[in-house]
Amino acid sequence: MRLGRIQTQNGPAVVRIADNVVSQIDLVSVGLATLQDLLSHPDLEKLAASLPTIGKSQAIDAVDWLPPIDQQEVWAAGVTYKRSQTARMEESEAAASCYDRVYTAARPEIFFKATPHRCSGHGGAVRIRKDATWNVPEPELALVISRSGKIVAYTIGNDMSSRDIEGDNPLYLPQAKLYNQCCGLGPWVVLASSMPERSTIGIHLSIHRSGVEVFAGKTSVAEMARKLEDLVEWLLKDNDMPNGAFLLTGTGVVPDSSFTLAAKDVVHITIDGIGTLSNTVVQG
Ligand code: DO4
Ligand code: MG
């Protein structure tokens, strides 16, 4: 079961996606207002399947996708894959031992990534900071966490990152990670019951420049050094999420050090069982 948000002439609407057809669903009939409300409802799976549709259905590629977020905070875990540990140790002489230690430490790295207005949906733009020279997308499985702290769904996250800023000094991490249009999310969320078995989920990154693929890489959730539930447990220690949250779970794909994103590049992230999130890069 897939649920999402689209832009319509009357404003944002919540939709259900079946095969390649998108239908607006009637939340008001059950006293709900937003996708976030539905995602935290105790009867989410049943309601999502049974809510009546409103208006005409549309083809999947004919709608204007919004990120599937309302008021949730977006957090991210880091150095959860070996590839992220080695890439970070290369980029930062000063902090190499921090990345090395956090990869095996009991406490994971978890940082605040974005507010809803900094997130872009499928087809939207993701940004390179004006003051950054070395930038990459980070393709990550994103957990959708309900108000009560349960993983209720999954989506795709793009943790846009400025490697020169982070590499210069680890204290600059918030500036390397959090700025306008720093996070791609979507295209929709897939409810937990509809996801494939975790160890079989592949994550693929493809970057196109002037129509030509300039980078391709892949990993698998099986390569992750942490359990998803442990990441959620650490995130929620003395840290309430009254609206629920999104948690990006770290990247296992980092292009070689010679690669940097450029304005107009198109970033495609595909995660098995979810779909493909595509965003165009902007700068300045
Ligand atoms: O330590 C910096 C951030 C790591 C990160 O974002 C990742 O591993 O995905
Ligand atoms: Mg990341």
Side-chain angles (χ1 to χ4, degrees):
M1 176 70 55
R2 290 173 288 165
L3 300 170
R5 292 174 71 244
I6 62 167
Q7 189 60 266
T8 72
Q9 282 173 343
N10 305 321
V14 178
V15 295
R16 180 165 61 212
I17 303 105
D19 300 320
N20 281 336
V21 178
V22 180
S23 311
Q24 198 173 321
I25 49 177
D26 179 12
L27 292 179
V28 180
S29 61
V30 286
L32 304 177
T34 60
L35 177 57
Q36 168 187 306
D37 293 338
L38 180 57
L39 290 169
S40 280
H41 196 285
D43 277 332
L44 164 64
E45 295 273 351
K46 211 166 102 194
L47 270 183
S50 61
L51 279 172
T53 59
I54 327 169
K56 268 196 186 155
S57 297
Q58 285 175 275
I60 218 160
D61 47 11
V63 298
D64 186 2
W65 293 100
L66 293 172
I69 185 169
D70 289 290
Q71 290 179 299
Q72 296 99 318
E73 294 175 0
V74 183
W75 292 73
V79 198
T80 50
Y81 291 81
K82 191 78 188 157
R83 175 65 190 127
S84 180
Q85 179 217 26
T86 50
R88 259 130 191 138
M89 289 177 72
E90 278 162 26
E91 93 195 358
S92 173
E93 269 176 41
S97 72
C98 297
Y99 295 115
D100 197 22
R101 278 184 287 132
V102 83
Y103 182 66
T104 50
R107 180 190 292 276
E109 178 196 10
I110 295 182
F111 57 93
F112 190 71
K113 172 61 190 172
T115 47
H117 87 271
R118 294 186 172 90
C119 295
S120 300
H122 176 64
V126 288
R127 180 167 294 275
I128 298 175
R129 289 180 65 114
K130 270 200 200 85
D131 54 350
T133 55
W134 184 20
N135 299 275
V136 287
E138 294 190 354
E140 305 191 9
L141 178 68
L143 312 180
V144 184
I145 302 167
S146 69
R147 285 174 197 141
S148 63
K150 227 174 113 195
I151 303 173
V152 289
Y154 297 80
T155 188
I156 301 172
N158 178 355
D159 173 20
M160 289 289 288
S161 300
S162 301
R163 294 189 71 184
D164 56 322
I165 296 178
E166 183 187 337
D168 192 20
N169 187 321
L171 298 182
Y172 295 152
L173 183 80
Q175 295 172 72
K177 294 287 192 176
L178 201 162
Y179 51 87
N180 294 336
Q181 296 167 306
C182 63
C183 184
L185 266 190
W188 40 67
V189 305
V190 177
L191 297 191
S193 62
S194 306
M195 281 295 286
E197 212 275 300
R198 279 178 196 171
S199 61
T200 66
I201 300 174
I203 301 178
H204 308 258
L205 171 64
S206 165
I207 304 172
H208 288 239
R209 187 167 296 160
S210 309
V212 177
E213 186 175 73
V214 288
F215 177 82
K218 62 175 188 216
T219 187
S220 155
V221 175
E223 300 293 317
M224 198 189 293
R226 306 254 178 197
K227 287 207 172 68
L228 303 180
E229 283 74 14
D230 289 351
L231 292 176
V232 175
E233 198 183 321
W234 280 100
L235 171 69
L236 298 179
K237 278 186 202 290
D238 281 326
N239 193 21
D240 294 343
M241 302 289 168
N243 299 310
F246 285 76
L247 176 62
L248 277 57
T249 56
T251 186
V253 183
V254 183
D256 285 346
S257 298
S258 59
F259 180 87
T260 186
L261 278 176
K264 299 194 184 142
D265 284 356
V266 184
V267 178
H268 303 284
I269 302 173
T270 302
I271 299 190
D272 299 336
I274 304 179
T276 300
L277 170 69
S278 302
N279 296 107
T280 301
V281 176
V282 294
Q283 184 174 29

